[in-house]
Amino acid sequence: MDYPNDQAPGAPIRSGIPEHGRIPKYYAVKARIAVLLDELGEGGLLPTERELAQLHEVSRETVRQALRELLLEGRLRRQGRGTVVAGPKLEQPLSLASYTEGVRRQGLRPGRNLIGLDRFPCPEALAAEVGVERGEPVWHLERVLLADDERVGLESTYVGVARVPGLDTAFDPDSSFYAYLRDALGIAFGDADERIETVLATPREALLIGTPPALPMLLIHRLSRDTDGRPLERVRTLFRGDRFSFSAHLRG
């Protein structure tokens, strides 16, 4: 197989073109539009579907399919009635660092909008994960995640009331939960298990995050323990697939 000299590391081999050389018409248009995006730069306004169809001598439906894929990949974003070139994806490390720390490392301003803070008797399925007995009170903290005021995710945190008794009065919901545990309560994280999968948001989740229901999401389940190995929290976090990527450092 021949590899182009200018093949970018991590890019699709042969730019995604099969060995027989036949590619769908929309994919060829998508590749040409991708070159245009690099020329326009972040925030650049894309020509209309009609203009792109005339430029590439294809139907508007062919252009529409190419644009849909670029939107799902995070290369484009809707702005008002137009479409503009999106910035690079946010890179979140797979570590015990908080969301706040990960976003700040990229020069962006983290934030959160509180959706709800509820207290309820712990069901049996959740009890072992947060280290309480069935029926003991637990908190559910739900917040929309922000990066420079853009909604990028939705986070649900479950933690025992006995471990964090003043969550409803002493905690600022726009701040880092991990920093609150560390600085106010002296609770340090020891280790965690995480599972990542691709899902579609529910209608409620899509409305809260402000995305179409068909936009793929990255879902992370996290079970955290303190430095003594005691279960501490269970977190379910949805991240926009068009705005986030994840990185991890692996050691042999």
Side-chain angles (χ1 to χ4, degrees):
M1 180 183 294
D2 294 328
Y3 289 84
N5 291 330
D6 59 352
Q7 173 83 47
I13 301 302
R14 293 172 50 94
S15 299
I17 300 173
E19 275 69 14
H20 56 55
R22 297 187 297 274
I23 62 172
K25 186 178 293 185
Y26 86 89
Y27 193 86
V29 174
K30 174 186 171 183
R32 296 184 202 127
I33 294 176
V35 174
L36 175 62
L37 303 187
D38 293 335
E39 296 173 354
L40 291 173
E42 182 178 347
L45 182 64
L46 199 68
T48 65
E49 286 182 4
R50 181 187 299 275
E51 292 169 335
L52 289 169
Q54 292 174 346
L55 176 64
H56 299 294
E57 300 181 335
V58 296
S59 69
R60 291 184 65 175
E61 180 54 39
T62 297
V63 169
R64 200 169 291 131
Q65 186 173 357
L67 295 181
R68 274 197 298 265
E69 288 205 359
L70 290 167
L71 281 163
L72 290 175
E73 291 172 5
R75 299 291 309 278
L76 297 171
R77 61 182 173 85
R78 302 293 189 190
Q79 183 170 290
R81 300 185 64 180
T83 303
V84 300
V85 181
K89 288 188 177 185
L90 298 167
E91 184 177 325
Q92 187 75 356
L94 292 173
S95 69
L96 277 172
S98 71
Y99 168 78
T100 298
E101 296 167 4
V103 172
R104 281 178 176 162
R105 273 201 292 266
Q106 296 170 81
L108 301 178
R109 185 178 69 259
R112 295 169 176 84
N113 286 339
L114 178 66
I115 302 301
L117 176 58
D118 304 309
R119 173 175 170 158
F120 60 94
C122 187
E124 185 173 356
L126 181 63
E129 295 184 337
V130 296
V132 303
E133 297 293 330
R134 176 184 178 183
E136 290 186 16
V138 294
W139 295 113
H140 172 226
L141 174 65
E142 185 179 34
R143 298 180 292 176
V144 171
L145 303 177
L146 308 174
D148 279 356
D149 295 325
E150 178 186 13
R151 289 178 285 175
V152 294
L154 181 66
E155 180 183 75
S156 286
T157 301
Y158 299 88
V159 63
V161 172
R163 297 296 301 273
V164 193
L167 193 62
D168 58 340
T169 57
F171 173 63
D172 176 6
D174 187 39
S175 66
S176 167
F177 179 60
Y178 286 12
Y180 172 72
L181 292 179
R182 180 186 65 239
D183 300 337
L185 303 179
I187 299 175
F189 283 83
D191 66 289
D193 296 316
E194 286 192 337
R195 176 167 57 89
I196 304 176
E197 57 185 309
T198 304
V199 299
L200 296 178
T202 66
R204 176 181 180 272
E205 291 166 339
L207 183 63
L208 290 172
I209 302 173
T211 59
L215 181 70
M217 296 281 177
L218 295 169
L219 171 60
I220 292 188
H221 298 276
R222 173 182 283 192
L223 298 176
S224 303
R225 291 169 287 272
D226 62 20
T227 50
D228 294 324
R230 298 170 58 197
L232 179 56
E233 63 159 4
R234 192 214 197 284
V235 184
R236 180 186 190 275
T237 309
L238 276 176
F239 291 97
R240 286 175 51 171
D242 65 331
R243 295 295 291 120
F244 268 90
S245 65
F246 291 89
S247 63
H249 176 68
L250 307 179
R251 306 183 74 170

